[in-house]
Amino acid sequence: MNEDYTFFQSAEFQTSLAAYERMAAGGQKADLDAETLTDVAEYYSLMHRPEEAKRCINYALSLYPDSIDPKIFLSREEMFRGNMAEAMRICKSIGDDNDREVMFLRAELLLHEGKSEQAFKAFLRHYRNIENNRDAAECACDFADLCKDYSYDNLGIQVVSQVCVDFPDYLPAQSLKAEFHCIFGDYDKAVSIFLRIIRESPFKIHYWAMLVQAYISMNDLANALDAADYAMAIDPDNIEALNARACVLYELEQYDEAYQLYERLLKAFPTDSQMLMLDAQCAIELGLYEKAIERLDLKVLSPALYGHALSCLAYCHHQLGDEEKSEAYKREAETYHDHTLYNFFPGQYPSPAKRREQDTNDQDNDIDLPF
């Protein structure tokens, strides 16, 4: 789960958001600084509300034309749109090479373009000038986390491993190293690290939630559920705790309870693609096909999920007796290589394993034997 959710759930941010939205609706002017307004814009962007994000960031720039945070937001937005030249232009226009956030923007733009060595050099120049140990550890972890976001996992784990050597008491580095172990499939190592740091910091929900994911990856669902329950005991309304328990219940095929939790999560974050997809899958398992169709809104879901979402829609309409729509969604799903129609219509669509077997047989039949 995106860690921004925990920040956006915080009382401090929710108070700022409410103040901005009252002002935007014509109410009293809100006394919000550039950083807070940028946070609001990022929230809107995460919630797939681009027009509101644009209005908020333009308002921030009108009040604080020389502020760095809104410009960083604009540069990243251009990067996500594929306008790298404009993203770089905005980055260069900021001009403050000593600012940490500007360095991270430059590093992210370089990683986005596949220039990992240049990104590392940009980070290293800044890192070597940091005098405070905690600031240095935090900066290095942020860079390693950025590498993880862009799948430069080998570089990321090298950086965070060095942080663990240089600053052995800095628990966020230990946790991030465990996350990299999960990426590499070393779940035993990850669990060992999470258990160790939880003994030192037992009330940090993020560590419990990451332990849950490691246990799920190992298919150790009993320990995963125990860890999720500990997280819920710390704060039963925490987004990470709720999501962790919902994930375990889904894996345990306890769809009714998982569905109730995803419904709670979606009240806070109604446009989160992963939550919508999992909520829809629970609804399908419970026979709530109309609710599943409602959740499978292609205007909101990430395109990365379209193949599966279209397959689910085909099945839901089939179950509701609307074969015309079902066939239409089947045809559309077939255009995606990662469709999952074989899960719902096994007689019509072979599983990937069967398709590979068939392809192998076809290739064997094409061989001219030498006798």
Side-chain angles (χ1 to χ4, degrees), residues 155-173:
L155 176 57
I157 197 169
Q158 288 179 56
V159 171
V160 79
S161 295
Q162 189 61 49
V163 177
C164 290
V165 172
D166 294 341
F167 311 103
D169 297 327
Y170 188 63
L171 295 185

Side-chain angles (χ1 to χ4, degrees), residues 7 35 40 64 83 106 150-151 161 202 239 248 267 360 371:
F7 169 71
E35 183 179 356
V40 172
Y64 309 102
N83 302 328
R106 183 173 290 109
Y150 284 88
S151 299
S161 295
I239 289 293
V248 182
K267 287 179 181 177
T360 300
F371 53 85

